[in-house]
Amino acid sequence: MAPDDLTHLLQTRFGESCQASPPDAWQVDTPDFRLLVLLSADGNWLRLLMPIVPIQEVQPFLNQILAANFDQTQEARYAFHQSVLWAVFQHDLASLGRPHFEAAIDQLLTMKQQGVEPFFNRLIEDQVRQIITAAKLQGQSLEATMQTLDRFYAEGMMGDMKANDGYQQNALTAWRYQLERLWPEVDVSTEETTE
């Protein structure tokens, strides 16, 4: 792929939102996202960059972000630069074809659209697994674990939640869903005791 091809593809897809800075940079600005397209100094490598959120919003999820880079992001990666979490794609320009370029843009857009939600969900799932592990190590059943959580809510140990406003019941329903979904997956006989 040549730089002129990049200009054509970006202008075709994004129209007037695409601004070219020949010969090595392009920027797409929309109300929903910003995409930066850069060539390396020697012109051999292409890098697509899309800011996602400020780094302060992802501090609690650093482990989940690194895990996503390892097993979920395919050719794109999450990266930190200038106090921002970025979605990044890098590829040799000469071997890059149009379908691959379009797919990379789509992947970055998906990462931007998802924001921190996948990391939050993964963190919560990890914490529920820890609760299940502790319950199983104490010999509790799923039902006994739910009763303990119900008691914690009733006694206010899980925060000040009024039983009549529906929040407590919604919270317990969410707990039950997660516990029932993850309970069979946690095998305490294979759990490591150190992390």
Side-chain angles (χ1 to χ4, degrees):
M1 186 175 290
D4 288 343
D5 297 327
L6 292 172
T7 301
H8 174 72
L9 289 171
L10 290 166
Q11 288 177 343
T12 299
R13 181 162 180 173
F14 299 109
E16 293 180 9
S17 297
C18 177
Q19 300 169 356
S21 299
D24 62 354
W26 299 260
Q27 181 170 302
V28 176
D29 272 314
T30 74
D32 298 323
F33 66 88
R34 171 181 281 171
L35 172 66
L36 304 174
V37 181
L38 307 171
L39 294 182
S40 61
D42 63 8
N44 291 328
W45 283 88
L46 171 80
R47 182 178 289 167
L48 304 177
L49 305 148
M50 187 173 294
I52 299 177
V53 294
I55 198 168
Q56 304 91 297
E57 293 184 31
V58 297
Q59 286 292 338
F61 313 117
L62 294 179
N63 288 342
Q64 289 74 24
I65 291 169
L66 290 174
N69 271 350
F70 186 76
D71 62 7
Q72 295 171 357
T73 59
Q74 301 166 5
E75 291 180 301
R77 293 288 178 262
Y78 290 102
F80 297 105
H81 184 63
Q82 296 179 339
S83 299
V84 173
L85 174 67
W86 296 78
V88 179
F89 171 83
Q90 201 167 258
H91 201 281
D92 172 57
L93 186 60
S95 66
L96 183 64
R98 179 183 179 155
H100 199 176
F101 179 70
E102 295 281 348
I105 291 173
D106 291 340
Q107 186 175 11
L108 296 186
L109 288 169
T110 297
M111 292 165 77
K112 167 68 175 170
Q113 183 180 37
Q114 290 175 340
V116 298
E117 185 176 343
F119 311 128
F120 175 78
N121 292 341
R122 182 90 180 251
L123 177 65
I124 295 300
E125 186 173 296
D126 290 346
Q127 291 175 346
V128 171
R129 287 179 189 276
Q130 289 175 357
I131 290 169
I132 293 170
T133 299
K136 284 187 172 186
L137 287 172
Q138 293 175 8
Q140 286 187 356
S141 67
L142 171 61
E143 203 50 50
T145 304
M146 275 306 303
Q147 289 172 358
T148 301
L149 288 170
D150 189 26
R151 190 184 85 238
F152 287 166
Y153 276 102
E155 294 173 359
M157 294 176 68
M158 301 291 275
D160 185 19
M161 299 176 217
K162 299 182 180 13
N164 58 0
D165 70 1
Y167 181 80
Q168 181 175 335
Q169 189 55 45
N170 290 341
L172 288 170
T173 301
W175 272 108
R176 177 169 292 284
Y177 169 76
Q178 292 294 343
L179 288 169
E180 286 176 347
R181 183 176 70 84
L182 297 172
W183 193 272
E185 295 177 17
V186 176
D187 181 6
V188 293
S189 65
T190 61
E191 291 291 319
E192 293 185 22
T193 56
T194 60
E195 298 221 2

